[in-house]
Amino acid sequence: MAPQTNKRRKPSIAITRSDHERLSRLAESVSSRNPELADELFAELDRARVVADKALAPGVVRMGSTLRFSTDAESRTVTLVFPGEADIAEGKISILTPIGAALIGLSAGQSIDWTARDGRTHRLTVEDVKAPGAAPERTSELSAAS
């Protein structure tokens, strides 16, 4: 019997063609400033099955999706966004964070390990995914001044 390793196999993921293209350009643009994060995003993009925008199942995390996930410490509802839209107080998580890169392409019920900025590894499980625009949200830009 082979020795057991602590590293779990990553789940299969799917990404829309347009998200794949935009995220590839984004990772390329930050690669000189933050090579580790760019490499992490590139790795997720490389392992993803790329599908036509309209062919992605509704329960798959894509840019703009609102999702609920649980970790070893908490359960959260967040929206996955591009860096300029990120606002942790409003639950908008940037794709250019370790957890954001880990979430892209997952479906409800899938789990993945991700490494936080402090170097600790956490396990998260996606519980529910709503496609962009599927759930009413408070997105008033005027409330950002609080």
Side-chain angles (χ1 to χ4, degrees), residues 3 13 17 19 27 34 39 43 52-53 57-58 65-66 68 78-80 85 89 94 98 105 118-119 125 127 138 144:
I13 59 174
R17 184 167 285 114
D19 276 353
N34 195 337
D39 288 348
D53 289 13
S65 291
T66 298
R68 188 177 69 247
V78 299
T79 301
L80 186 62
E85 303 166 56
S94 172
D118 64 6
T125 301
E127 296 173 358
R138 280 187 1 200

Side-chain angles (χ1 to χ4, degrees), residues 17-124:
R17 184 167 285 114
S18 62
D19 276 353
H20 193 275
E21 290 170 3
R22 282 187 75 187
L23 293 173
S24 294
R25 287 193 302 269
L26 179 62
E28 185 63 41
S29 74
V30 300
S31 63
S32 62
R33 292 186 314 265
N34 195 337
E36 290 175 10
L37 190 52
D39 288 348
E40 200 172 319
L41 185 53
F42 276 131
E44 293 302 294
L45 294 171
D46 286 347
R47 72 185 192 84
R49 182 174 52 92
V50 179
V51 299
D53 289 13
K54 294 183 188 256
L56 191 67
V60 177
V61 177
R62 63 185 89 188
M63 296 307 299
S65 291
T66 298
L67 61 127
R68 188 177 69 247
F69 69 88
S70 59
T71 65
D72 42 321
E74 65 183 332
S75 181
R76 295 184 62 191
T77 299
V78 299
T79 301
L80 186 62
V81 298
F82 288 96
E85 303 166 56
D87 185 339
I88 196 71
E90 290 187 18
K92 295 180 179 181
I93 303 293
S94 172
I95 186 69
L96 287 183
T97 60
I99 198 166
L103 287 169
I104 192 75
L106 293 176
S107 323
Q110 286 186 307
S111 298
I112 192 168
D113 291 331
W114 64 280
T115 303
R117 290 184 172 138
D118 64 6
R120 292 186 309 172
T121 299
H122 303 274
R123 183 119 176 118
L124 71 80

